[in-house]
Amino acid sequence: MDQRQLFRRHLAQTSESPIGLDITHAAGNYLYDADGNKYLDLIGGISVCNIGHTHPEVIHAIKQQAEKYLHIMVYGELIQSPQVQYATLLSKHLPQTLSSVYFTNSGTEATEGAIKLARRATGRPGIISCNKSYHGASLGALSVMGDEYWRNAFRPLLPGVKRFDYNSTALIEAVDTTTACVIIETVQAEAGVLEPGPEWLTALRARCTETGALLVMDEIQCGFGRTGKLWGFQHYDVVPDIVLLGKALGGGMPLGAFISSQELMQNLMHDPVLGHITTFGGHPVSCAAGMAAMQVLLNEKLVEEVNAKEKLFHSLLRHPAIKAVRSKGLLIAVELDGASHVLNTLRACLEKGLFSDWFLFAPECIRVAPPLTITHAEIEIACDRILKCL
Ligand code: PMP
C-alpha cells in the first residue's frame, strides 16, 4: 500500500476531500512534495509559519533544547528555562498589565483556560461571543464559536453563552454584571477578514470595565505581526484583560497561551489549587522554538514590511471575477462569486505550484496569509498565478 492509501486508511479523516499532498520537506516560503513539485505557500500553515518554514535559528533552538531535556514534569512545578525566558520576552512586548503567561498545548486550550479564568475570577456564568468567530474545537471553545453548522451536532454545549454580530451595538448592550467575559477575535479571520470598528471596540472596552466583565481578545491568528503590528489590538486603542495566543507563538511547534495580569491569574492558585492543569502545555522544545521565532520576527523587522506587501497584493489582485479583497496586513480574503469558484481556482493554483485554502465561515473567499517573509517578487508570481487560474 502506498503512502496515500495508508493516509486514507489509518489517519483519522475529517473531510471527504483532503488536499492530500505528500510533503517531503518545507523551507522558507515553499513546500515540496513526493512527486517533485514545489509550492509557493500562501497560507503558512494557517498563520503559523510567519517567519517561513524551518528557519535555521528555530531548528537550532529546537536541537539545543532537545539535547538538554524534553518533558520533565507537568506544567508549573519546575523552573524550565525556555518557559521562563519566553514568558519574559512576551511580557516585555505586551502592555504592562499583560505580564502573567500560562502556556498551553494549543489555541483551543488557551480559549478554555481563559473561559475558566473568567468564570473563576468573576464568579459569573455569562459569556458573550460573536457570530462567525472561531476560538477552537473542544466543547468549551465550540460553545463560543459563532456558527451553528459547526456547533449543532455536538450539543449540549456550555450554558450561559450568548452570541451577537461582531461590531453590533446589541453585543455591547448585552454585557452586564452577570457577564464573566466577552470573547472576540481582534480581527475575525475565519469570517473572511472582518475588522472591528475602532469606536465599537472602545465602547466594548468601556462597557466591560464598567460592568466588571473581562475582555478576552483572541490573537491566535492575528498576533505576531500578521496584521502589520506585533499584536492586532495595537491598531486600536484597547488593551484586553486576557489575550489568547497560539499558532505563530510556537514557531512551528505546538504552543498556545492565555495571558493576563498577575492579579487576575492568581485566581488559578486557590479554590481550587491547580485551577488549570496541563501535562505538556509550555513544552520546553515548543517554548525554545517559539522564542527563537519571535526573535527572528523582531530582529529581521518583518512586521514593518507587512503594510507594503499588503498594498502590493491589493494593487495586483484586480480581475472581473474578484468581487472584493478584504485585508488587515497579510491576512487577506479574496472574495469570488461562490464556494465552487474558490475550490476550482484553488485546485488550478495547486497545479501551478501555489498552495492556498478557503475560510471556514467564508468559503466564497480565497485565503491569502503567506509567511511574512514572502518577497515582493513572490507576491507578483502568486498574484499572476491566481489571476491566470481565475
Ligand atoms: N482562535 C483562532 C482565531 C484560530 O484561528 C484558531 C485556529 N484556527 C484557534 C483559536 C484554535 O487554535 P488551535 O487549532 O491551535 O487549537
Side-chain angles (χ1 to χ4, degrees):
M1 230 182 264
D2 72 11
Q3 179 106 315
R4 189 157 281 118
Q5 289 167 317
L6 293 171
F7 164 75
R8 282 289 195 162
R9 175 176 286 207
H10 292 299
L11 205 77
Q13 299 288 312
T14 55
S15 150
E16 290 292 342
S17 50
I19 302 169
L21 297 179
D22 187 354
I23 299 299
T24 52
H25 59 291
N29 303 327
Y30 294 91
L31 304 172
Y32 301 83
D33 76 7
D35 298 323
N37 299 310
K38 176 181 176 182
Y39 302 91
L40 176 55
D41 185 0
L42 269 200
I43 47 176
I46 314 280
S47 301
V48 169
C49 313
N50 287 14
I51 62 157
H53 295 275
T54 55
H55 193 288
E57 290 188 30
V58 174
I59 302 304
H60 176 69
I62 289 172
K63 284 183 177 164
Q64 269 205 325
Q65 181 53 41
E67 281 172 4
K68 288 185 191 144
Y69 56 87
L70 302 175
H71 175 80
I72 41 173
M73 180 56 181
V74 298
Y75 182 85
E77 295 295 334
L78 300 179
I79 299 171
Q80 302 186 40
S81 176
Q83 293 179 343
V84 177
Q85 294 304 317
Y86 197 16
T88 305
L89 179 68
L90 287 164
S91 301
K92 195 176 138 205
H93 289 276
L94 281 161
Q96 230 179 358
T97 45
L98 298 171
S99 62
S100 182
V101 181
Y102 192 119
F103 284 119
T104 61
N105 293 278
S106 65
T108 298
E109 193 194 354
T111 301
E112 296 290 336
I115 292 174
K116 285 175 67 183
L117 178 58
R119 282 245 172 109
R120 167 67 187 84
T122 62
R124 301 173 181 181
I127 299 165
I128 290 177
S129 67
C130 287
N131 293 325
K132 296 192 177 176
S133 63
Y134 187 84
H135 301 290
S138 61
L139 282 174
L142 202 59
S143 305
V144 294
M145 184 204 269
D147 192 288
E148 188 57 21
Y149 170 76
W150 266 275
R151 269 194 323 255
N152 197 33
F154 305 102
R155 293 184 182 285
L157 299 171
L158 273 187
V161 180
K162 289 185 195 148
R163 270 167 300 268
F164 299 90
D165 283 346
Y166 195 66
N167 278 326
S168 72
T169 316
L171 186 148
I172 296 176
E173 285 169 353
V175 181
D176 61 22
T177 52
T178 67
T179 311
C181 67
V182 177
I183 175 166
I184 60 165
E185 286 168 83
T186 310
V187 174
Q188 282 201 317
E190 296 308 318
V193 188
L194 295 185
E195 255 205 88
E199 299 86 28
W200 178 75
L201 211 50
T202 309
L204 176 60
R205 172 68 275 181
R207 182 78 187 143
C208 286
T209 305
E210 186 191 327
T211 55
L214 301 176
L215 180 59
V216 182
M217 290 176 78
D218 180 338
E219 292 263 340
I220 289 167
Q221 197 153 162
C222 60
F224 291 94
R226 174 65 44 200
T227 66
K229 291 198 187 273
L230 188 56
W231 315 116
F233 63 77
Q234 290 174 319
H235 290 283
Y236 316 96
D237 196 14
V238 160
V239 175
D241 298 297
I242 304 175
V243 70
L244 309 183
L245 299 180
K247 292 195 181 273
L249 174 71
M253 294 292 284
L255 191 64
F258 58 103
I259 305 177
S260 75
S261 67
Q262 309 277 340
E263 191 190 1
L264 189 54
M265 198 65 84
Q266 275 169 13
N267 284 287
L268 296 182
M269 291 168 65
H270 51 87
D271 306 311
V273 64
L274 304 174
H276 188 68
I277 301 176
T278 173
T279 298
F280 289 125
H283 192 283
V285 177
S286 297
C287 285
M291 179 153 164
M294 185 171 176
Q295 280 165 334
V296 169
L297 185 78
L298 297 170
N299 293 343
E300 295 187 5
K301 304 204 183 310
L302 292 172
V303 188
E304 282 90 324
E305 296 172 11
V306 166
N307 285 344
K309 292 177 180 176
E310 175 188 17
K311 282 204 187 98
L312 186 56
F313 269 113
H314 271 278
S315 69
L316 296 171
L317 286 171
R318 296 205 176 147
H319 187 280
I322 296 177
K323 291 177 68 183
V325 178
R326 283 186 299 280
S327 67
K328 191 71 183 169
L330 286 177
L331 185 58
I332 304 172
V334 183
E335 188 180 332
L336 307 184
D337 60 7
S340 64
H341 196 177
V342 166
L343 288 181
N344 290 338
T345 308
L346 289 174
R347 225 168 281 133
C349 283
L350 210 54
E351 277 169 26
K352 285 195 183 302
L354 192 66
F355 185 61
S356 189
D357 203 4
W358 44 284
F359 292 94
L360 217 47
F361 311 136
E364 71 285 3
C365 297
I366 297 175
R367 183 194 297 269
V368 178
L372 309 185
T373 45
I374 193 168
T375 64
H376 287 243
E378 286 165 342
I379 293 173
E380 281 169 17
I381 291 167
C383 292
D384 183 55
R385 286 182 192 169
I386 291 174
L387 298 190
K388 286 202 172 110
C389 293
L390 286 170

